[in-house]
Amino acid sequence: MRVFVTGASGFIGSAVVPELIGAGHRVVGLARSDASADALAAAGAEVLRGALDDLDSLREGAAASDGVIHLAYIHDFSRYESAARTDAQAIETLGAALEGSGRPLVIASGTLGLTPGRVATERDTPDPGSGVSPRAAGARAALSLASCNVRSSVVRLSPSVHDEGDHGFIPTLIAIARDKGVSGYAGDGSNRWPAVHRLDAAHLFRLALEIAPAGSVLHGVADEDVPVRTIAEVIGWHLGLPVAAISPEDTAEHFGWLGAFLAADAPASSALTRELLGWQPTRPGLIDDLDQGHYFRNTSG
């Protein structure tokens, strides 16, 4: 297939591109900057210049493709709802270019906030009152395209997609520990996070592109329920820092914007995804990946 990929030079996209090329697909990556364009060309992809809010470039890329993987997202928590609207508009634009063709559209979403306190499955839908509801609009838009003869699917990723080069929640938590002189966890630390290695996630995106039925919801989850206290303990051991509980009233001050996410109890399963697509994660889990040490070499204090 000729596959149009948004977010192709990002942390996850830079794993998806070689996964696709290695399977014999041709990749056209959306690039906003010269650096992104150079990285894509070096990886063996074609380049289409544009941006997430440049709807003409999205239409062009999708119309000329045999399938689309949409990974780009504006990760700015100070304008979360605006970013979600931009994402939903991009998905609608991509879907309109594919409408009636039966071609695949795979988008990225998240598991965090689906079913607080119990294991989320692919059959669960976000609570409209939850903090994930703005981004969920994009997922709903994608799934609705199945009725328009678009083979759409949604890959809900774990809050921790880990590997060398990660710049998400875990590196932020490490930086906070270095700054505060203590590796903290919220409450009693029994709340759980799912996680997936970036290369396992990339493989899932390829399988979704190739074989996921229209309207599929998939979970990019390898570790179902890593206790946040365990994460803090591993960080503390690697940094030589004490590990301590942070009280609920101090969580926001200690962790900043990360506090609300860190306090969430959000385990998730991928059993249905594995059964549907035959996806089997093979890369190290989150704790094993942390123990390899690269998170601590690459995080400045």
Side-chain angles (χ1 to χ4, degrees):
M1 290 189 215
R2 177 182 171 91
V3 186
F4 178 48
V5 182
T6 73
S9 62
F11 177 62
I12 297 171
S14 59
V16 170
V17 168
E19 171 77 22
L20 293 172
I21 292 174
H25 299 296
R26 294 171 57 200
V27 175
V28 179
L30 186 70
R32 184 176 58 181
S33 67
D34 290 342
S36 293
D38 291 345
L40 288 172
E46 299 175 38
V47 175
L48 174 64
R49 295 302 293 261
L52 192 57
D53 57 359
D54 177 0
L55 302 185
D56 287 339
S57 65
L58 298 182
R59 288 189 196 96
E60 178 184 347
S65 74
D66 299 310
V68 176
I69 297 179
H70 173 55
L71 302 173
Y73 195 80
I74 301 170
H75 292 282
D76 182 348
F77 293 100
S78 67
R79 51 191 185 109
Y80 187 49
E81 292 190 4
S82 173
R85 285 194 298 270
T86 299
D87 184 54
Q89 187 176 41
I91 291 167
E92 291 166 0
T93 300
L94 294 167
L98 300 176
E99 190 171 328
S101 69
R103 288 175 285 171
L105 168 64
V106 185
I107 76 154
S109 188
T111 65
L112 192 60
L114 277 173
T115 56
R118 70 172 177 85
V119 178
T121 77
E122 295 87 339
R123 293 194 178 104
D124 289 308
T125 56
D127 180 343
S130 74
V132 298
S133 57
R135 189 170 187 182
R140 289 193 297 270
L143 294 175
S144 71
L145 291 164
S147 64
C148 303
N149 196 20
V150 176
R151 188 163 57 82
S152 58
S153 60
V154 174
V155 176
R156 293 175 179 161
L157 292 168
S158 302
S160 177
V161 180
H162 57 90
D163 191 10
E164 192 156 5
D166 180 8
H167 50 267
F169 288 161
I170 296 299
T172 301
L173 192 57
I174 292 170
I176 291 169
R178 281 190 160 125
D179 179 59
K180 302 289 187 179
V182 60
S183 181
Y185 54 88
D188 65 5
S190 63
N191 55 303
R192 300 152 292 173
W193 269 17
V196 66
H197 194 282
R198 176 175 67 138
L199 298 183
D200 285 326
H203 183 53
L204 177 57
F205 276 105
R206 176 169 70 81
L207 290 177
L209 176 85
E210 293 173 344
I211 62 174
S216 298
V217 175
L218 309 165
H219 276 190
V221 174
D223 294 324
E224 184 174 296
D225 55 358
V226 183
V228 171
R229 179 170 181 166
T230 301
I231 298 171
E233 288 171 345
V234 174
I235 291 172
W237 186 87
H238 278 274
L239 297 181
L241 293 175
V243 179
I246 307 301
S247 65
E249 56 268 26
D250 294 330
T251 295
E253 180 181 354
H254 186 90
F255 295 107
W257 63 265
L258 184 59
F261 297 99
L262 194 64
D265 184 33
S269 166
S270 59
L272 298 177
T273 297
R274 298 182 196 216
E275 181 180 355
L276 180 66
L277 301 185
W279 177 64
Q280 290 296 331
T282 61
R283 303 291 175 166
L286 175 59
I287 299 304
D288 287 342
D289 202 11
L290 282 168
D291 277 337
Q292 291 184 13
H294 57 81
Y295 272 95
F296 305 96
R297 292 192 300 270
N298 295 342
T299 306
S300 59

